[in-house]
Amino acid sequence: STTLISSAVTLSSTDTGVAAVDNANKAFEGQGAGTAVIAVDFGGLLSFNGTITVLDESVNVTSVSISASTTTLSGSAGSTSDIFTINLVLTDGRLINDVVSATAVDEFDLLTFGSDDPSRLAMSSDGLITLLDNTPASVTVTATSRDAGGVSDSIALAGNLVA
């Protein structure tokens, strides 16, 4: 039989003023500057502790780099693709490679996505692209940081409907 282990997982924090835990969603969130130990307990069978540090300074995106595994999307109308690799550089020097697949980063908090012709190639809020119609000319899709800097990068794509 199969058991969903996440139902037995509990999180705790040594300082909820630094890092609050949300056991319903199995997540924690920074609350204020400082250091806290996050404990993860797997139903009393196994546990893990990790120290996190929450900074009181904001970290913004200084660079967005978008690339695609192909520049021509082919498929039926309404087909959706995850063809992008988006890399970010933050003000503290950290590099986040492939932010859309990174498990420790929520791209919805960092980026917005757009298309200059959403009737042909539409972008979802999570970075997926939907082919809606043939594109006689290239369509530009863009990823833009949500922070005050608003840095962005774009890539030109074509769409080809197939029967």
Side-chain angles (χ1 to χ4, degrees):
S1 82
T2 303
T3 303
L4 184 61
I5 192 168
S6 64
S7 63
V9 173
T10 56
L11 304 173
S12 62
S13 172
T14 58
D15 189 342
T16 57
V18 173
V21 297
D22 175 359
N23 275 299
N25 293 309
K26 308 300 182 218
F28 61 91
E29 181 177 352
Q31 300 295 308
T35 301
V37 175
I38 300 295
V40 182
D41 180 79
F42 294 92
L45 299 173
L46 176 69
S47 63
F48 169 78
N49 294 329
T51 302
I52 65 165
T53 300
V54 177
L55 305 175
D56 62 357
E57 59 201 47
S58 64
V59 177
N60 293 318
V61 177
T62 59
S63 171
V64 175
S65 171
I66 184 172
S67 60
S69 58
T70 181
T71 56
T72 302
L73 287 151
S74 295
S76 58
S79 59
T80 301
S81 298
D82 176 11
I83 63 166
F84 298 113
T85 299
I86 301 171
N87 300 322
L88 304 178
V89 177
L90 306 178
T91 52
D92 65 0
R94 282 182 293 156
L95 173 65
I96 302 174
N97 289 313
D98 199 6
V99 70
V100 174
S101 359
T103 56
V105 178
D106 189 350
E107 71 270 20
F108 315 121
D109 289 340
L110 296 174
L111 301 169
T112 61
F113 301 95
S115 166
D116 70 352
D117 191 349
S119 68
R120 297 182 188 276
L121 294 176
M123 292 292 297
S124 68
S125 63
D126 58 356
L128 295 176
I129 190 162
T130 302
L131 175 60
L132 299 172
D133 200 356
N134 287 316
T135 58
S138 291
V139 173
T140 301
V141 296
T142 304
T144 304
S145 69
R146 290 185 180 272
D147 59 35
V151 294
S152 64
D153 193 20
S154 300
I155 191 167
L157 301 173
N160 182 28
L161 292 177
V162 292

